[in-house]
């Protein structure tokens, strides 16, 4: 089945220790997104890639970086995690086929704990 | 500054009855609205959407109503089934944007 895969599902890191979350997709979608969702909050878009073009949200902290080495993979790097970065991180993809709106497909998320 | 608001964190409905989930938005530039459903330990999955040129869209047991003048939309599920127990996110997009803005979600409990 075509899908969006996130690894690991649970990640524990120490305060200030860099961490990388990964997302892969078999849908061959050209757009990939990273969202942060804290408990009882709305998923918040951090950035997205339209093909190789990186689009950062204005309020995304510099502590968050992303890489997309190819169509299938996208990484979220948190350079110096703080306690406030503990959250669920959701990866999503969509295919821009010229339709007015393109549905986003989500992975199961990675829950990040910062000790 | 929430642009998409779901004011009910949770809702309990008897099985077989109608579930109505509400959503308000503030940005008049939004012209496409979506509902996503999320089970525990899974990512959100797309449920139903509506364009601002319509006021109703129906798909099986699910109907979304849009009231543009009130900046309000609602999701109706009838009849409600146990498998409908989940968190429902309202979301909106505008100007042919790739981005969507989510609400905080409403947890729906279907009671036996």
């Amino acid at each position: 089945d075509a899908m969006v895969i996130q690894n690991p599902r649970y990640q524990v890191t120490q305060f200030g220790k860099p961490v990388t979350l990964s997302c892969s997709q078999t849908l061959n979608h050209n757009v990939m997104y990273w969202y942060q969702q804290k408990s009882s909050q709305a998923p918040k878009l951090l950035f997205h890639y339209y093909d190789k073009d990186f689009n950062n949200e204005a309020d995304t902290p510099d502590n968050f970086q992303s890489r997309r080495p190819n169509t299938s993979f996208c990484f979220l790097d948190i350079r110096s995690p703080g306690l406030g970065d503990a959250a669920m991180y959701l990866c999503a993809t969509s295919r821009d086929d010229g339709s007015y709106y393109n549905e986003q497909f989500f992975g199961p998320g990675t829950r990040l704990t910062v000790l | 500054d929430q642009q998409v608001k779901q004011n009910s964190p949770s809702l309990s409905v008897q099985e077989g009855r109608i579930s109505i989930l509400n959503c308000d938005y503030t940005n008049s530039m939004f012209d496409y609205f979506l509902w996503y459903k999320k089970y525990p330990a899974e990512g959100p999955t797309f449920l139903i959407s509506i364009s601002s040129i319509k006021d109703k869209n129906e798909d099986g047991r699910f109907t979304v109503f849009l009231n543009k003048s009130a900046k309000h939309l609602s999701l109706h599920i009838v009849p409600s089934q146990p498998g409908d127990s989940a968190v429902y996110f309202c979301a909106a997009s505008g100007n042919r944007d790739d981005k969507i803005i989510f609400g905080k979600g409403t947890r729906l409990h279907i009671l036996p």
Side-chain angles (χ1 to χ4, degrees):
Chain A
D1 282 342
M3 54 179 29
V4 181
I5 302 160
Q6 290 189 244
N7 286 306
R9 295 292 306 275
Y10 301 90
Q11 176 72 58
V12 180
T13 190
Q14 290 182 321
F15 183 94
K17 186 174 181 181
V19 67
T20 294
L21 310 182
S22 75
C23 177
S24 63
Q25 52 129 340
T26 60
L27 298 159
N28 202 32
H29 285 173
N30 58 336
V31 190
M32 293 187 79
Y33 310 77
W34 279 106
Y35 290 85
Q36 178 193 64
Q37 186 186 14
K38 296 186 178 180
S39 181
S40 301
Q41 298 295 312
K44 178 180 176 302
L45 183 65
L46 296 173
F47 24 61
H48 75 284
Y49 277 92
Y50 191 104
D51 294 318
K52 289 185 179 291
D53 293 334
F54 178 70
N55 299 273
N56 198 32
E57 292 302 296
D59 57 353
T60 298
D62 292 341
N63 198 25
F64 291 87
Q65 304 285 319
S66 185
R67 296 170 283 137
R68 188 179 186 187
N70 54 52
T71 301
S72 300
F73 285 87
C74 195
F75 299 98
L76 170 61
D77 301 307
I78 308 176
R79 293 193 293 192
S80 181
L83 298 178
D85 297 327
M88 176 71 82
Y89 290 88
L90 294 163
C91 174
T93 72
S94 69
R95 180 169 61 93
D96 186 349
D97 60 1
S99 303
Y100 187 77
Y101 175 75
N102 303 295
E103 177 187 340
Q104 293 187 21
F105 293 79
F106 284 82
T110 294
R111 181 166 296 283
L112 178 68
T113 300
V114 181
L115 301 177
Chain B
D1 180 26
Q2 279 183 268
Q3 298 186 66
V4 178
K5 300 177 184 179
Q6 294 178 258
N7 292 319
S8 297
S10 67
L11 175 68
S12 294
V13 175
Q14 207 75 35
E15 182 179 354
R17 306 293 290 267
I18 183 170
S19 296
I20 300 176
L21 296 97
N22 293 302
C23 178
D24 298 294
Y25 61 96
T26 59
N27 190 338
S28 57
M29 299 303 291
F30 287 148
D31 58 7
Y32 201 87
F33 303 90
L34 311 94
W35 286 93
Y36 276 78
K37 177 179 179 178
K38 184 182 183 303
Y39 291 120
E42 295 182 13
T45 55
F46 171 76
L47 186 59
I48 192 169
S49 64
I50 189 168
S51 162
S52 62
I53 61 174
K54 294 185 175 182
D55 54 18
K56 177 183 175 181
N57 187 27
E58 190 172 352
D59 183 2
R61 296 185 298 114
F62 302 92
T63 303
V64 56
F65 295 92
L66 175 63
N67 182 334
K68 288 186 289 295
S69 60
K71 293 193 177 68
H72 177 83
L73 63 154
S74 61
L75 174 68
H76 293 212
I77 306 172
V78 56
S80 301
Q81 298 175 354
D84 297 329
S85 294
V87 177
Y88 290 80
F89 290 98
C90 174
S93 179
N95 291 326
R96 180 57 179 93
D97 202 336
D98 291 317
K99 302 187 296 187
I100 57 176
I101 308 297
F102 283 90
K104 291 185 177 183
T106 296
R107 185 177 297 277
L108 176 64
H109 300 271
I110 303 302
L111 306 171

